[in-house]
Amino acid sequence: MGSRSALFVLATAALLVSACSDSNKGNPTAPAPSSPVGQPTSLPRAGAPNIDKPLDTAAAEADPCGVVKSDQIQSFGGGAVDRSRVDDLSSGKVCTWVFTDGLGTISAGMNIGERDGLSHLYALNAQGRGLTTFKPSEAIDGYPSVVFANGGERSYVCNLAVGVRNDLTYTIVATPGTSNPNRSDPCGMATKLGTLAIQQLKAAQ
């Protein structure tokens, strides 16, 4: 899968979490301003786990490629990183790291387009609509995560949302290429990126 296709997957994954929001919220067309660190009183809901230590994500929202460096990505990505780029989506700024020799991509960013964080995924699952995959995963360095999709599942693609605050997720899409050693375990690849990102965010607090 090419880097543009992977970006589309990430946009779809991130917007999935926002597009099914209550109708009175509307659909944002531009990134919302960064909200202060804190816990909204109405969250979590629908059985989502509470995030005891919310993270300040302002720097990551502004510079998603600065959260994890390319040399860190290639330490687990299955090959050298050819380039990275930032794309400004309606769900927020996203960094895509493109591996050499067709070894695929991995993309990530703060999903500021949906301010219910993991609670929204939990609510969609509880309602039985909007999701065809919903798998709460092991905590990533103390922060809860969910593997999710809304149709079009592929064994070599993983959508992973990590709750960094009750109202915000760090969304990752791993798409290792055919010859990438991570091809059979894209969620393991996504988890490694999530772990590095959480560690960097915690260190910057």
Side-chain angles (χ1 to χ4, degrees), residues 37 53-58 143 164-165 197-205:
V37 175
K53 296 180 180 179
L55 295 171
D56 184 343
T57 61
Y143 289 79
V164 293
R165 296 202 304 266
I198 293 296
Q199 289 173 348
Q200 292 295 102
L201 289 170
K202 289 168 85 173
Q205 301 304 298

Side-chain angles (χ1 to χ4, degrees), residues 43-201:
L43 298 174
R45 61 185 177 91
N50 184 58
I51 297 169
D52 298 320
K53 296 180 180 179
L55 295 171
D56 184 343
T57 61
E61 291 173 32
D63 180 19
C65 289
V67 179
V68 180
K69 305 301 183 183
S70 292
D71 59 344
Q72 293 175 295
I73 295 289
Q74 64 188 36
S75 71
F76 67 83
V81 173
D82 178 62
R83 63 189 183 279
S84 64
R85 68 167 187 274
V86 175
D87 292 279
D88 202 346
L89 308 178
S90 61
S91 57
K93 291 182 179 180
V94 169
C95 184
T96 297
W97 293 270
V98 182
F99 296 100
T100 59
D101 303 321
L103 291 175
T105 62
I106 190 166
S107 303
M110 296 294 170
N111 184 10
I112 63 174
E114 173 49 61
R115 287 300 188 178
D116 278 358
L118 285 181
S119 290
H120 192 65
L121 289 175
Y122 274 79
L124 290 179
N125 181 62
Q127 294 161 9
R129 64 180 180 86
L131 294 176
T132 53
T133 294
F134 176 83
K135 296 179 181 178
S137 304
E138 291 186 9
I140 295 178
D141 208 32
Y143 289 79
S145 66
V146 172
V147 173
F148 70 98
N150 185 27
E153 283 88 341
R154 298 290 186 271
S155 63
Y156 55 86
V157 178
C158 181
N159 306 322
L160 180 69
V162 184
V164 293
R165 296 202 304 266
N166 282 340
D167 64 342
L168 187 64
T169 61
Y170 183 65
T171 302
I172 303 165
V173 175
T175 314
T178 303
S179 299
N180 192 308
N182 295 298
R183 180 76 168 183
S184 62
D185 186 21
C187 286
M189 184 179 180
T191 297
K192 289 174 182 176
L193 172 54
T195 300
L196 286 170
I198 293 296
Q199 289 173 348
Q200 292 295 102
L201 289 170

